[in-house]
């Protein structure tokens, strides 16, 4: 073929196509055979016959290229309107879930602009305007984005200023659980045959980890964690108690060598009377709560994501010791990579500040 699939989309490609058709028309006039013209111009005989028929019916203007047949004829202004419709979400257009597919976008184009186009044309249209197929992030319905932007952002800035004024470490804390069933990740396989990851069909072993990402301007980022194993059927607490968080905060204080300002979620264990009493009794400890349903503001969530997408993905754990060993080795590597810890903080859009708050003047 002289031009590949989708040729003629740009002005230059359309001009090249018209030149090929002009050469074919000149050879038609000389009476050359269709097969000879197709071989010399490196196009199919069907295309040559179609050009010859359009020339007989429409004359010279019929040789002009109309672009790719599968290209949706949407201008930039029309695509901007299409983007507004897509931002509304599939639910606003009558679909039960929140997943955009090429077929659904094709339907929206037909409803909004009264144009029909193939699925491949929709894909090329989206790709040309910077859209891609990707997994969405989750956000709780209870999260009020407007309230966060107006109120919680200012309160979080005050917490960072408090840490800077006291020369303290800003510490983000979170906990997660890991079981013998590994998280799934994409892998290569033969088309039509889904790859299988063989795991233990039944295991009550579980490992919980409470971790802290520690930041301070001018200091290397630190990562501190404490594991806790649990086996179902044994009469023991399946999760961390407030005394475990107390010991973790004390350990962070000793390792960092200074006061700390932990920021954690509203877990009921964090709000117990014993924990509040311990915070009130120690000046080096100042605790704040993160906004509700705002997991994307906690850099420790990025650490869990690194684990689930990296060393834990598709791993067939033999026993609980294998799981524990893999987790400890992976977390130890993260501890020696402050760039990863800083990257998790950058992903949240937050940054520690070394500016001290300016005290307000009282009226004289």
């Amino acid at each position: 073929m002289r031009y590949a699939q989708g040729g003629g989309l740009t002005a230059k490609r359309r001009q090249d196509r018209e030149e090929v058709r002009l050469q074919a028309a000149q050879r038609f006039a000389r009476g050359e055979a269709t097969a000879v013209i197709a071989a010399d111009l490196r196009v199919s005989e069907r295309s040559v016959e179609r050009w010859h028929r359009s020339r007989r019916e429409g004359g010279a203007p019929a040789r002009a290229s109309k672009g790719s047949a599968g290209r949706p004829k949407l201008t930039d202004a029309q695509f901007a309107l299409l983007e507004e419709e897509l931002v509304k979400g599939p639910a606003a257009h009558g679909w039960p879930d929140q997943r955009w597919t090429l077929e659904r976008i094709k339907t929206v184009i037909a409803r909004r602009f009264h144009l029909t186009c193939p699925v491949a044309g929709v894909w090329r249209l989206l790709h040309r305007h910077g859209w891609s197929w990707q997994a969405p992030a989750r956000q709780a319905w209870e999260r009020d984005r407007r309230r966060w932007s107006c109120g919680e952002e200012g309160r979080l800035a005050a917490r960072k200023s408090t840490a800077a004024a006291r020369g303290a470490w800003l510490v983000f804390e979170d906990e997660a659980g890991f079981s013998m069933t590994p998280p799934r990740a994409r892998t290569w396989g033969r088309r039509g045959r889904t790859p299988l990851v063989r795991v233990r069909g039944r295991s009550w072993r579980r490992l919980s980890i409470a971790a802290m990402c520690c930041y301070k301007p001018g200091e290397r980022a630190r990562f501190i964690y404490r594991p806790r194993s649990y086996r179902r059927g044994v009469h023991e607490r399946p999760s961390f108690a407030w005394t475990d968080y107390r010991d973790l905060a004390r350990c962070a204080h000793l390792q960092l060598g200074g006061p700390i300002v932990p920021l954690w979620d509203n877990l009921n264990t964090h709000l117990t009377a014993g924990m509040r009493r311990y915070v009130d009794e120690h000046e080096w400890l100042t605790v704040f709560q993160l906004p509700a349903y705002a997991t994307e503001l906690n850099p420790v969530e990025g650490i869990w994501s690194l684990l689930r997408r990296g060393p834990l993905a598709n791993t067939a754990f033999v026993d609980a010791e294998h799981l524990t060993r893999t987790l400890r080795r992976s977390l130890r590597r993260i501890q020696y990579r402050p760039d990863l810890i800083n990257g998790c903080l950058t992903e949240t859009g937050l940054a520690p500040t070394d500016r001290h708050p300016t005290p307000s003047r009282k009226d004289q």
Side-chain angles (χ1 to χ4, degrees):
M1 295 290 291
R2 168 76 64 168
Y3 40 82
Q5 179 68 21
L9 293 180
T10 63
K12 184 178 184 306
R13 291 290 185 87
R14 293 180 62 176
Q15 183 179 359
D16 295 342
R17 177 175 291 188
E18 291 174 3
E19 291 179 358
V20 173
R21 292 185 176 187
L22 178 61
Q23 296 178 20
Q26 294 173 352
R27 303 183 70 166
F28 288 149
R30 293 197 296 266
E32 298 187 20
T34 301
V36 176
I37 298 175
D40 292 345
L41 299 180
R42 293 181 294 169
V43 297
S44 64
E45 295 186 15
R46 180 175 298 181
S47 298
V48 175
E49 293 173 354
R50 185 173 65 252
W51 297 344
H52 192 29
R53 182 170 58 254
S54 62
R55 176 176 174 272
R56 290 198 308 266
E57 296 174 356
R63 296 196 303 267
S65 174
K66 300 179 178 60
S68 175
R71 179 188 180 187
K73 301 177 181 179
L74 292 181
T75 63
D76 293 340
Q78 288 176 324
F79 187 82
L81 297 177
L82 176 62
E83 281 188 311
E84 294 179 0
E85 298 295 331
L86 298 181
V87 169
K88 295 178 182 178
H93 294 273
W95 285 286
D97 55 27
Q98 305 181 57
R99 185 168 56 97
W100 278 120
T101 63
L102 295 177
E103 286 289 348
R104 293 180 177 181
I105 298 176
K106 172 184 175 182
T107 303
V108 173
I109 293 175
R111 292 174 180 175
R112 184 68 174 79
F113 305 104
H114 305 287
L115 295 174
T116 58
C117 55
V119 173
V122 176
W123 182 89
R124 287 192 294 270
L125 174 69
L126 296 175
H127 183 73
R128 187 163 56 248
H129 286 83
W131 285 60
S132 63
W133 176 261
Q134 49 189 302
R138 295 189 183 97
Q139 187 178 87
W141 282 105
E142 295 83 355
R143 168 84 180 274
D144 189 346
R145 189 67 187 179
R146 290 174 299 179
R147 183 182 65 83
W148 158 250
S149 60
C150 296
E152 295 293 345
E153 185 176 1
R155 283 192 285 271
L156 186 58
R159 296 161 193 168
K160 294 189 293 182
S161 298
T162 300
R166 302 186 57 189
W169 288 78
L170 192 63
V171 177
F172 293 86
E173 190 277 337
D174 194 34
E175 54 282 326
F178 302 89
S179 65
M180 298 287 292
T181 303
R184 291 184 298 177
R186 294 178 180 270
T187 183
W188 287 99
R190 185 178 294 276
R191 186 180 294 112
R193 297 182 183 179
T194 303
L196 297 178
V197 178
R198 300 189 180 276
V199 299
R200 281 189 176 273
R202 183 171 182 173
S203 177
W204 305 116
R205 297 279 186 174
R206 182 180 178 85
L207 186 67
S208 298
I209 296 179
M212 289 181 168
C213 287
C214 312
Y215 305 93
K216 184 179 180 180
E219 299 287 345
R220 181 175 63 89
R222 307 288 185 86
F223 179 74
I224 302 172
Y225 73 94
R226 288 295 178 269
R228 179 186 178 87
S229 60
Y230 168 71
R231 184 176 62 181
R232 187 171 179 177
V234 179
H235 298 287
E236 61 181 9
R237 184 183 178 90
S239 60
F240 289 95
W242 76 269
T243 53
D244 297 317
Y245 294 108
R246 176 201 62 189
D247 296 341
L248 180 60
R250 183 190 304 165
C251 177
H253 169 60
L254 295 176
Q255 290 190 23
L256 300 176
I260 62 175
V261 179
L263 285 83
W264 52 33
D265 53 24
N266 296 301
L267 185 67
N268 56 358
T269 313
H270 296 157
L271 306 176
T272 58
M275 192 68 206
R276 292 199 302 267
R277 185 169 54 254
Y278 183 80
V279 172
D280 294 338
E281 294 173 353
H282 295 81
E283 295 183 357
W284 54 265
L285 182 60
T286 305
V287 175
F288 292 101
Q289 269 71 40
L290 286 170
Y293 306 102
T295 57
E296 69 273 15
L297 298 178
N298 197 334
V300 185
E301 294 288 347
I303 300 295
W304 306 145
S305 178
L306 291 175
L307 292 175
R308 294 189 175 102
R309 291 185 291 109
L312 299 184
N314 298 348
T315 302
F317 298 108
V318 178
D319 50 23
E321 182 62 27
H322 185 195
L323 172 62
T324 304
R325 188 170 58 252
T326 303
L327 279 171
R328 286 182 176 274
R329 184 186 301 116
S330 304
L331 293 174
R332 177 60 62 85
R333 291 175 179 173
I334 293 176
Q335 286 180 323
Y336 286 101
R337 293 286 304 276
D339 56 317
L340 292 180
I341 307 174
N342 288 326
C344 294
L345 180 64
T346 304
E347 184 67 21
T348 65
L350 306 175
T353 178
D354 55 357
R355 294 178 299 176
H356 294 194
T358 303
S360 58
R361 291 186 176 181
K362 295 183 179 180
D363 295 335
Q364 298 296 331

